[in-house]
Amino acid sequence: MHLQIRGLEAGIPGKPILAGLDLDVRSGEIHALMGPNGSGKSTLANVLMGNPSYLPTGGQVLLDGEDVLAMSPSERALRGLFLAFQYPVEIPGVTVGKFLKRAIELRQQSSGSRGMNVSAYVKELREAMDFMEMDQGFINRYLNQGFSGGEKKRMEVLQMLMLKPSIAIMDETDSGLDIDALRIVARGVNRLRGPGFGALIITHYRRILEQIVPDFVHVMYKGRIAVSGGRELVETLETKGYDWIRERYGIEEEAHESALAGA
Ligand code: ADP
Ligand code: MG
């Protein structure tokens, strides 16, 4: 699966934030998106999730050539995009087990495969819960009701393990910064890692990238990808910070502006 972002412009009413962003994520690739606070990382995640507060105003987002921005959030999920935090905070009366079973059924229907084998589902769910070090009693709890931060994180990763998305978008900047939460996410991503799974891991911090080693690293600055590279870019950012990007990007902007002025 190929997620193509082309010249994406988006923002909130009266405030443009993304300013022509280009990015490609394919199944089989782990991408890290870094960048200083306020560069627009979470805005990108919100646009990809279909959060109605963030409006796309230009450019395209395509999933295997199909217009993602025209799809509802649930349609995006059915096509194999996993958008962390897409589920409501709490769903009264729906247990974890029922929620996951329904989500998987829908995903299977949309991909054309026949109904699920319930005993195989239960076996897989139990195994995934063991892997995530979750108590089996969790299956019967109401979704997200009274969940601790760590339990919500485990639930999110459990959902990802069961749904086996083609591409996962995870914004880890604002949540789950404790070591336990990072370990949970890393465990899930590293388990799914392989030719059929891609991820865009959005983070301001390096810590998670010590546990999930990315294939590609991008640095966002002022609503665009300013620099892309391999995993070594994480080290460069750690030692040099973001100033060199500001300088280099600032210089490029000036050169561009003076070129325009001179034209
Ligand atoms: P990052 O995740 O890289 O820190 P964000 O996408 O959260 O950046 O924010 C980019 C810019 O847009 C910031 O200046 C931020 O203050 C602004 N912004 C984002 N969301 C909102 C919002 N809902 N209301 C007002 N300003 C916002
Ligand atoms: Mg953010």
Side-chain angles (χ1 to χ4, degrees), residues 202-221:
I202 301 176
T203 180
H204 183 57
Y205 298 94
R206 182 181 99 133
R207 278 191 301 179
I208 193 166
L209 303 177
E210 288 167 354
Q211 296 183 54
I212 306 171
V213 179
D215 301 303
F216 303 95
V217 177
H218 312 275
V219 183
M220 207 166 155
Y221 181 63

Side-chain angles (χ1 to χ4, degrees), residues 98-109:
K98 275 195 183 143
F99 172 80
L100 287 173
K101 182 165 174 286
R102 187 69 192 133
I104 294 162
E105 276 170 353
L106 288 172
R107 174 100 168 87
Q108 287 179 340
Q109 277 167 20

Side-chain angles (χ1 to χ4, degrees), residues 76-245:
R76 298 175 198 205
L78 294 179
R79 303 289 175 113
L81 263 190
F82 178 86
L83 305 159
F85 315 117
Q86 63 185 324
Y87 52 84
V89 176
E90 289 181 13
I91 308 185
V94 175
T95 62
V96 166
K98 275 195 183 143
F99 172 80
L100 287 173
K101 182 165 174 286
R102 187 69 192 133
I104 294 162
E105 276 170 353
L106 288 172
R107 174 100 168 87
Q108 287 179 340
Q109 277 167 20
S110 78
S111 63
S113 57
R114 292 288 206 80
M116 84 165 51
N117 173 330
V118 176
S119 65
Y121 159 73
V122 172
K123 188 161 173 267
E124 190 180 343
L125 179 58
R126 289 190 188 285
E127 199 273 328
M129 291 179 83
D130 282 345
F131 180 78
M132 294 311 299
E133 297 162 4
M134 292 166 90
D135 189 279
Q136 297 290 335
F138 206 81
I139 295 179
N140 299 316
R141 283 188 57 186
Y142 291 117
L143 187 66
N144 291 326
Q145 211 167 308
F147 282 20
S148 69
E151 285 172 339
K152 279 188 184 159
K153 207 75 203 162
R154 280 194 163 75
M155 179 60 213
E156 180 190 314
V157 174
L158 181 67
Q159 193 187 343
M160 186 172 77
L161 288 177
M162 294 300 291
L163 286 175
K164 302 180 190 65
S166 303
I167 295 178
I169 314 285
M170 315 180 90
D171 187 350
E172 297 304 326
T173 306
D174 307 310
S175 64
L177 284 178
D178 61 280
I179 299 290
D180 187 44
L182 290 185
R183 194 180 60 86
I184 293 165
V185 173
R187 215 172 143 76
V189 168
N190 288 330
R191 178 166 188 177
L192 286 172
R193 202 165 186 163
F197 175 76
L200 178 64
I201 296 166
I202 301 176
T203 180
H204 183 57
Y205 298 94
R206 182 181 99 133
R207 278 191 301 179
I208 193 166
L209 303 177
E210 288 167 354
Q211 296 183 54
I212 306 171
V213 179
D215 301 303
F216 303 95
V217 177
H218 312 275
V219 183
M220 207 166 155
Y221 181 63
K222 287 194 177 171
R224 265 179 253 190
I225 304 292
V227 182
S228 294
R231 59 192 61 159
E232 70 288 343
L233 196 47
V234 181
E235 278 310 315
T236 310
L237 292 170
E238 187 67 10
T239 50
K240 291 169 72 181
Y242 288 117
D243 282 350
W244 63 282
I245 289 172

